[in-house]
Amino acid sequence: MNRWLLTKLLKWGEKQLGGVSMDYAYHLRDVEPSRLWRFTMIKAVEGNRKHTPADAYHAAGMAAAMVEDCGPCVQIHVNLALKDHVDADVLRALAARKLDKVPPHVALAFRYGEAVGQGVMADEMRDEIRKLWGEKGLIELAFMIATARFYPGLKRGLGYAHTCERVVVQDRVTMTAKAA
């Protein structure tokens, strides 16, 4: 794929993700363009949200990115959640890990994303998720969590990861809390 087209795709991606730095992707474009093309397929692996509410879906991904301690990745999750009409106050509470300030189903999805991200089996949470959204909902969250963890790993491996200290939610800075 040629450089011009890859650049156009990256510019479009930056706009979709809310202006978050994609320096690592430009690096891939310049050094190993075929790997950049493969990298774009991760979103296809994740798939679309169909079986879980937007707030829970994004909470799980956000938690997984927070476990990986990738600030730009968490910011991307916040930006995509806002585009999906997730309440800004819910996102601020999640970033600060104030789970008592969010609906119970959102707290469950966040705790689940965090647990899976830390390598915990989380059997009881998995059972609760199945009760709420069925097996398809569980699979959807598992894919979100897995793909949310892919990006920080790649960025860290390439030297482009930045610690997660704060996110901006609708022009308000929110300090993030580390995983429990």
Side-chain angles (χ1 to χ4, degrees):
M1 184 169 286
N2 71 35
R3 181 182 168 88
W4 176 85
L5 183 55
L6 286 173
T7 302
K8 292 294 249 184
L9 289 171
L10 290 174
K11 294 290 183 194
W12 177 82
E14 285 175 322
K15 187 175 179 182
Q16 297 302 306
L17 299 176
V20 176
S21 172
M22 293 184 59
D23 290 348
Y24 67 94
Y26 286 100
H27 177 74
L28 288 171
R29 177 205 61 194
D30 294 342
V31 177
E32 190 72 52
S34 65
R35 296 268 183 191
L36 175 60
W37 180 246
R38 287 185 197 108
F39 169 77
T40 65
M41 297 294 113
I42 295 302
K43 188 65 181 163
V45 168
E46 179 186 315
N48 296 321
R49 180 183 60 79
K50 296 179 184 176
H51 307 287
T52 56
D55 52 4
Y57 181 76
H58 291 290
M62 188 174 163
M66 287 174 74
V67 167
E68 296 295 330
D69 196 26
C70 180
C73 296
V74 175
Q75 186 66 60
I76 288 169
H77 282 281
V78 166
N79 295 349
L80 293 176
L82 288 168
K83 285 179 93 168
D84 210 4
H85 309 290
V86 175
D87 183 82
D89 288 333
V90 167
L91 296 170
R92 286 184 196 101
L94 293 174
R97 228 180 159 284
K98 295 180 179 176
L99 302 184
D100 60 327
K101 305 288 185 199
V102 301
H105 73 279
V106 175
L108 170 64
F110 186 90
R111 286 191 335 268
Y112 186 64
E114 191 173 68
V116 172
Q118 294 171 332
V120 175
M121 290 305 295
D123 294 334
E124 289 178 18
M125 284 187 270
R126 193 171 17 268
D127 291 342
E128 287 181 60
I129 289 167
R130 278 192 184 104
K131 286 178 190 172
L132 286 174
W133 304 303
E135 196 65 29
K136 289 181 180 181
L138 175 66
I139 290 168
E140 189 169 274
L141 289 184
F143 268 77
M144 167 51 98
I145 294 163
T147 57
R149 296 186 69 209
F150 172 83
Y151 299 101
L154 177 68
K155 290 177 187 181
R156 190 170 295 109
L158 294 173
Y160 287 91
H162 303 284
T163 190
C164 184
E165 296 173 353
R166 64 181 184 85
V167 294
V168 178
V169 183
Q170 290 184 334
D171 298 327
R172 271 185 45 200
V173 173
T174 302
M175 301 310 288
T176 58
K178 298 296 179 199

PDB file of all heavy atoms in Angstrom, residues 1-13 26 29 33 36-37 40:
ATOM      1  N   MET A   1       0.863  -1.169   0.000  1.00  0.00           N
ATOM      2  CA  MET A   1       0.000   0.000   0.000  1.00  0.00           C
ATOM      3  C   MET A   1       0.904   1.225   0.000  1.00  0.00           C
ATOM      4  O   MET A   1       1.907   1.266   0.693  1.00  0.00           O
ATOM      5  CB  MET A   1      -0.894  -0.022   1.233  1.00  0.00           C
ATOM      6  CG  MET A   1      -1.882   1.103   1.257  1.00  0.00           C
ATOM      7  SD  MET A   1      -3.148   0.937   2.523  1.00  0.00           S
ATOM      8  CE  MET A   1      -4.160  -0.330   1.806  1.00  0.00           C
ATOM      9  N   ASN A   2       0.534   2.224  -0.768  1.00  0.00           N
ATOM     10  CA  ASN A   2       1.449   3.352  -0.895  1.00  0.00           C
ATOM     11  C   ASN A   2       1.363   4.330   0.269  1.00  0.00           C
ATOM     12  O   ASN A   2       0.382   4.380   1.001  1.00  0.00           O
ATOM     13  CB  ASN A   2       1.269   4.048  -2.247  1.00  0.00           C
ATOM     14  CG  ASN A   2      -0.030   4.821  -2.355  1.00  0.00           C
ATOM     15  OD1 ASN A   2      -0.505   5.394  -1.387  1.00  0.00           O
ATOM     16  ND2 ASN A   2      -0.575   4.863  -3.558  1.00  0.00           N
ATOM     17  N   ARG A   3       2.414   5.081   0.403  1.00  0.00           N
ATOM     18  CA  ARG A   3       2.567   6.020   1.522  1.00  0.00           C
ATOM     19  C   ARG A   3       1.443   7.054   1.545  1.00  0.00           C
ATOM     20  O   ARG A   3       0.937   7.404   2.608  1.00  0.00           O
ATOM     21  CB  ARG A   3       3.933   6.685   1.412  1.00  0.00           C
ATOM     22  CG  ARG A   3       4.229   7.647   2.513  1.00  0.00           C
ATOM     23  CD  ARG A   3       5.614   8.295   2.268  1.00  0.00           C
ATOM     24  NE  ARG A   3       5.814   9.412   3.134  1.00  0.00           N
ATOM     25  CZ  ARG A   3       6.329   9.340   4.355  1.00  0.00           C
ATOM     26  NH1 ARG A   3       6.706   8.175   4.840  1.00  0.00           N
ATOM     27  NH2 ARG A   3       6.477  10.415   5.088  1.00  0.00           N
ATOM     28  N   TRP A   4       1.056   7.574   0.391  1.00  0.00           N
ATOM     29  CA  TRP A   4       0.010   8.594   0.320  1.00  0.00           C
ATOM     30  C   TRP A   4      -1.300   8.067   0.899  1.00  0.00           C
ATOM     31  O   TRP A   4      -1.927   8.737   1.723  1.00  0.00           O
ATOM     32  CB  TRP A   4      -0.188   9.031  -1.132  1.00  0.00           C
ATOM     33  CG  TRP A   4      -1.311  10.008  -1.296  1.00  0.00           C
ATOM     34  CD1 TRP A   4      -1.244  11.363  -1.134  1.00  0.00           C
ATOM     35  CD2 TRP A   4      -2.662   9.699  -1.626  1.00  0.00           C
ATOM     36  NE1 TRP A   4      -2.487  11.916  -1.330  1.00  0.00           N
ATOM     37  CE2 TRP A   4      -3.382  10.918  -1.643  1.00  0.00           C
ATOM     38  CE3 TRP A   4      -3.344   8.527  -1.902  1.00  0.00           C
ATOM     39  CZ2 TRP A   4      -4.731  10.984  -1.932  1.00  0.00           C
ATOM     40  CZ3 TRP A   4      -4.700   8.597  -2.196  1.00  0.00           C
ATOM     41  CH2 TRP A   4      -5.378   9.805  -2.205  1.00  0.00           C
ATOM     42  N   LEU A   5      -1.691   6.871   0.504  1.00  0.00           N
ATOM     43  CA  LEU A   5      -2.941   6.300   0.996  1.00  0.00           C
ATOM     44  C   LEU A   5      -2.860   5.998   2.493  1.00  0.00           C
ATOM     45  O   LEU A   5      -3.810   6.284   3.243  1.00  0.00           O
ATOM     46  CB  LEU A   5      -3.298   5.033   0.214  1.00  0.00           C
ATOM     47  CG  LEU A   5      -4.619   4.365   0.581  1.00  0.00           C
ATOM     48  CD1 LEU A   5      -5.779   5.346   0.478  1.00  0.00           C
ATOM     49  CD2 LEU A   5      -4.854   3.160  -0.314  1.00  0.00           C
ATOM     50  N   LEU A   6      -1.744   5.450   2.939  1.00  0.00           N
ATOM     51  CA  LEU A   6      -1.580   5.192   4.372  1.00  0.00           C
ATOM     52  C   LEU A   6      -1.655   6.490   5.181  1.00  0.00           C
ATOM     53  O   LEU A   6      -2.266   6.525   6.248  1.00  0.00           O
ATOM     54  CB  LEU A   6      -0.256   4.482   4.637  1.00  0.00           C
ATOM     55  CG  LEU A   6      -0.195   3.011   4.240  1.00  0.00           C
ATOM     56  CD1 LEU A   6       1.223   2.481   4.392  1.00  0.00           C
ATOM     57  CD2 LEU A   6      -1.162   2.181   5.055  1.00  0.00           C
ATOM     58  N   THR A   7      -1.053   7.542   4.661  1.00  0.00           N
ATOM     59  CA  THR A   7      -1.112   8.835   5.350  1.00  0.00           C
ATOM     60  C   THR A   7      -2.547   9.326   5.444  1.00  0.00           C
ATOM     61  O   THR A   7      -2.977   9.810   6.500  1.00  0.00           O
ATOM     62  CB  THR A   7      -0.219   9.867   4.632  1.00  0.00           C
ATOM     63  OG1 THR A   7       1.125   9.369   4.602  1.00  0.00           O
ATOM     64  CG2 THR A   7      -0.259  11.218   5.331  1.00  0.00           C
ATOM     65  N   LYS A   8      -3.301   9.208   4.361  1.00  0.00           N
ATOM     66  CA  LYS A   8      -4.717   9.616   4.376  1.00  0.00           C
ATOM     67  C   LYS A   8      -5.494   8.813   5.418  1.00  0.00           C
ATOM     68  O   LYS A   8      -6.308   9.376   6.152  1.00  0.00           O
ATOM     69  CB  LYS A   8      -5.359   9.428   2.996  1.00  0.00           C
ATOM     70  CG  LYS A   8      -4.850  10.347   1.939  1.00  0.00           C
ATOM     71  CD  LYS A   8      -5.229  11.764   2.236  1.00  0.00           C
ATOM     72  CE  LYS A   8      -6.247  12.239   1.244  1.00  0.00           C
ATOM     73  NZ  LYS A   8      -6.576  13.645   1.434  1.00  0.00           N
ATOM     74  N   LEU A   9      -5.254   7.522   5.470  1.00  0.00           N
ATOM     75  CA  LEU A   9      -5.931   6.675   6.459  1.00  0.00           C
ATOM     76  C   LEU A   9      -5.553   7.062   7.886  1.00  0.00           C
ATOM     77  O   LEU A   9      -6.404   7.079   8.780  1.00  0.00           O
ATOM     78  CB  LEU A   9      -5.607   5.197   6.206  1.00  0.00           C
ATOM     79  CG  LEU A   9      -6.239   4.582   4.959  1.00  0.00           C
ATOM     80  CD1 LEU A   9      -5.663   3.202   4.707  1.00  0.00           C
ATOM     81  CD2 LEU A   9      -7.745   4.525   5.099  1.00  0.00           C
ATOM     82  N   LEU A  10      -4.288   7.376   8.109  1.00  0.00           N
ATOM     83  CA  LEU A  10      -3.851   7.777   9.447  1.00  0.00           C
ATOM     84  C   LEU A  10      -4.469   9.107   9.855  1.00  0.00           C
ATOM     85  O   LEU A  10      -4.897   9.283  10.994  1.00  0.00           O
ATOM     86  CB  LEU A  10      -2.327   7.840   9.516  1.00  0.00           C
ATOM     87  CG  LEU A  10      -1.621   6.485   9.463  1.00  0.00           C
ATOM     88  CD1 LEU A  10      -0.109   6.676   9.397  1.00  0.00           C
ATOM     89  CD2 LEU A  10      -2.006   5.625  10.645  1.00  0.00           C
ATOM     90  N   LYS A  11      -4.532  10.044   8.935  1.00  0.00           N
ATOM     91  CA  LYS A  11      -5.160  11.344   9.226  1.00  0.00           C
ATOM     92  C   LYS A  11      -6.637  11.143   9.569  1.00  0.00           C
ATOM     93  O   LYS A  11      -7.163  11.757  10.499  1.00  0.00           O
ATOM     94  CB  LYS A  11      -5.015  12.302   8.043  1.00  0.00           C
ATOM     95  CG  LYS A  11      -3.600  12.712   7.748  1.00  0.00           C
ATOM     96  CD  LYS A  11      -3.059  13.621   8.826  1.00  0.00           C
ATOM     97  CE  LYS A  11      -1.652  14.092   8.475  1.00  0.00           C
ATOM     98  NZ  LYS A  11      -0.970  14.689   9.588  1.00  0.00           N
ATOM     99  N   TRP A  12      -7.314  10.281   8.837  1.00  0.00           N
ATOM    100  CA  TRP A  12      -8.720   9.973   9.121  1.00  0.00           C
ATOM    101  C   TRP A  12      -8.836   9.329  10.498  1.00  0.00           C
ATOM    102  O   TRP A  12      -9.701   9.680  11.286  1.00  0.00           O
ATOM    103  CB  TRP A  12      -9.278   9.048   8.043  1.00  0.00           C
ATOM    104  CG  TRP A  12     -10.690   8.635   8.301  1.00  0.00           C
ATOM    105  CD1 TRP A  12     -11.824   9.336   8.012  1.00  0.00           C
ATOM    106  CD2 TRP A  12     -11.119   7.414   8.916  1.00  0.00           C
ATOM    107  NE1 TRP A  12     -12.938   8.630   8.415  1.00  0.00           N
ATOM    108  CE2 TRP A  12     -12.531   7.444   8.971  1.00  0.00           C
ATOM    109  CE3 TRP A  12     -10.464   6.299   9.422  1.00  0.00           C
ATOM    110  CZ2 TRP A  12     -13.283   6.400   9.508  1.00  0.00           C
ATOM    111  CZ3 TRP A  12     -11.212   5.265   9.959  1.00  0.00           C
ATOM    112  CH2 TRP A  12     -12.606   5.333   9.992  1.00  0.00           C
ATOM    113  N   GLY A  13      -7.928   8.400  10.809  1.00  0.00           N
ATOM    114  CA  GLY A  13      -7.933   7.738  12.109  1.00  0.00           C
ATOM    115  C   GLY A  13      -7.719   8.715  13.249  1.00  0.00           C
ATOM    116  O   GLY A  13      -8.391   8.630  14.285  1.00  0.00           O
ATOM    117  N   TYR A  26       2.697   6.371  12.340  1.00  0.00           N
ATOM    118  CA  TYR A  26       3.501   7.006  11.284  1.00  0.00           C
ATOM    119  C   TYR A  26       4.868   6.337  11.196  1.00  0.00           C
ATOM    120  O   TYR A  26       5.419   6.179  10.101  1.00  0.00           O
ATOM    121  CB  TYR A  26       3.636   8.509  11.534  1.00  0.00           C
ATOM    122  CG  TYR A  26       2.350   9.258  11.237  1.00  0.00           C
ATOM    123  CD1 TYR A  26       1.496   9.638  12.262  1.00  0.00           C
ATOM    124  CD2 TYR A  26       1.992   9.549   9.925  1.00  0.00           C
ATOM    125  CE1 TYR A  26       0.309  10.307  11.986  1.00  0.00           C
ATOM    126  CE2 TYR A  26       0.809  10.220   9.642  1.00  0.00           C
ATOM    127  CZ  TYR A  26      -0.032  10.594  10.672  1.00  0.00           C
ATOM    128  OH  TYR A  26      -1.200  11.243  10.397  1.00  0.00           O
ATOM    129  N   ARG A  29       4.321   3.256   9.254  1.00  0.00           N
ATOM    130  CA  ARG A  29       4.152   3.619   7.839  1.00  0.00           C
ATOM    131  C   ARG A  29       5.504   3.813   7.172  1.00  0.00           C
ATOM    132  O   ARG A  29       5.720   3.362   6.046  1.00  0.00           O
ATOM    133  CB  ARG A  29       3.326   4.904   7.735  1.00  0.00           C
ATOM    134  CG  ARG A  29       3.151   5.396   6.306  1.00  0.00           C
ATOM    135  CD  ARG A  29       2.908   6.873   6.214  1.00  0.00           C
ATOM    136  NE  ARG A  29       4.030   7.629   6.772  1.00  0.00           N
ATOM    137  CZ  ARG A  29       3.975   8.913   7.062  1.00  0.00           C
ATOM    138  NH1 ARG A  29       2.854   9.590   6.887  1.00  0.00           N
ATOM    139  NH2 ARG A  29       5.021   9.528   7.557  1.00  0.00           N
ATOM    140  N   PRO A  33       5.474  -0.611   6.329  1.00  0.00           N
ATOM    141  CA  PRO A  33       4.076  -0.328   5.964  1.00  0.00           C
ATOM    142  C   PRO A  33       3.160  -1.556   5.964  1.00  0.00           C
ATOM    143  O   PRO A  33       1.992  -1.450   6.312  1.00  0.00           O
ATOM    144  CB  PRO A  33       4.167   0.298   4.578  1.00  0.00           C
ATOM    145  CG  PRO A  33       5.595   0.349   4.209  1.00  0.00           C
ATOM    146  CD  PRO A  33       6.419  -0.176   5.326  1.00  0.00           C
ATOM    147  N   LEU A  36       1.811  -1.949   9.380  1.00  0.00           N
ATOM    148  CA  LEU A  36       0.764  -0.966   9.676  1.00  0.00           C
ATOM    149  C   LEU A  36      -0.569  -1.471   9.133  1.00  0.00           C
ATOM    150  O   LEU A  36      -1.592  -1.381   9.802  1.00  0.00           O
ATOM    151  CB  LEU A  36       1.100   0.401   9.084  1.00  0.00           C
ATOM    152  CG  LEU A  36       0.013   1.464   9.246  1.00  0.00           C
ATOM    153  CD1 LEU A  36      -0.295   1.714  10.717  1.00  0.00           C
ATOM    154  CD2 LEU A  36       0.440   2.751   8.558  1.00  0.00           C
ATOM    155  N   TRP A  37      -0.557  -2.012   7.942  1.00  0.00           N
ATOM    156  CA  TRP A  37      -1.793  -2.547   7.367  1.00  0.00           C
ATOM    157  C   TRP A  37      -2.357  -3.665   8.249  1.00  0.00           C
ATOM    158  O   TRP A  37      -3.544  -3.705   8.541  1.00  0.00           O
ATOM    159  CB  TRP A  37      -1.555  -3.040   5.942  1.00  0.00           C
ATOM    160  CG  TRP A  37      -2.796  -3.593   5.332  1.00  0.00           C
ATOM    161  CD1 TRP A  37      -3.024  -4.884   4.974  1.00  0.00           C
ATOM    162  CD2 TRP A  37      -4.005  -2.887   5.047  1.00  0.00           C
ATOM    163  NE1 TRP A  37      -4.289  -5.020   4.470  1.00  0.00           N
ATOM    164  CE2 TRP A  37      -4.921  -3.802   4.509  1.00  0.00           C
ATOM    165  CE3 TRP A  37      -4.395  -1.554   5.193  1.00  0.00           C
ATOM    166  CZ2 TRP A  37      -6.203  -3.441   4.114  1.00  0.00           C
ATOM    167  CZ3 TRP A  37      -5.674  -1.191   4.800  1.00  0.00           C
ATOM    168  CH2 TRP A  37      -6.557  -2.140   4.271  1.00  0.00           C
ATOM    169  N   THR A  40      -4.020  -2.351  11.403  1.00  0.00           N
ATOM    170  CA  THR A  40      -5.375  -1.807  11.239  1.00  0.00           C
ATOM    171  C   THR A  40      -6.437  -2.900  11.318  1.00  0.00           C
ATOM    172  O   THR A  40      -7.602  -2.600  11.564  1.00  0.00           O
ATOM    173  CB  THR A  40      -5.530  -1.040   9.910  1.00  0.00           C
ATOM    174  OG1 THR A  40      -5.388  -1.953   8.819  1.00  0.00           O
ATOM    175  CG2 THR A  40      -4.522   0.087   9.797  1.00  0.00           C
TER     176      THR A  40
END
